[in-house]
Amino acid sequence: MEIEKLIKMANQIGDFFEAYPDTELAKKDIANHLQRFWNSVMINSIVAHVKQQQGVGLHPRVIEAIQQHIS
């Protein structure tokens, strides 16, 4: 799957959880959502993007969620 599509999907998740007043809970829930609904290839691709490209184009909370709870 193209990284641009994964970025778009991850940003939609990040936008949804932006409304959470508790930032730490939002990051945990973003990570949980990715782990529940994304397959391992998708997760590995987005994690690699965060590690190799510093998550360019990703919602800041998504980057933090991946760094803190997935990678």
Side-chain angles (χ1 to χ4, degrees):
M1 182 172 282
E2 294 180 18
I3 193 65
E4 292 82 15
K5 185 171 183 178
L6 294 176
I7 290 169
K8 180 179 178 182
M9 292 167 51
N11 284 340
Q12 290 171 334
I13 297 164
D15 289 342
F16 176 82
F17 287 103
E18 182 68 25
Y20 274 40
D22 184 334
T23 302
E24 292 307 311
L25 179 59
K27 290 187 281 189
K28 286 180 185 175
D29 286 348
I30 290 167
N32 286 337
H33 182 91
L34 293 175
Q35 292 171 324
R36 287 186 67 201
F37 298 106
W38 286 31
N39 65 43
S40 61
V41 173
M42 295 165 71
I43 292 171
N44 291 339
S45 294
I46 204 74
V47 167
H49 177 71
V50 169
K51 288 181 178 178
Q52 296 168 2
Q53 304 296 323
Q54 293 72 49
V56 172
L58 280 172
H59 191 290
R61 277 197 185 171
V62 173
I63 295 170
E64 291 175 5
I66 290 168
Q67 290 172 330
Q68 293 175 12
H69 301 289
I70 297 177
S71 56

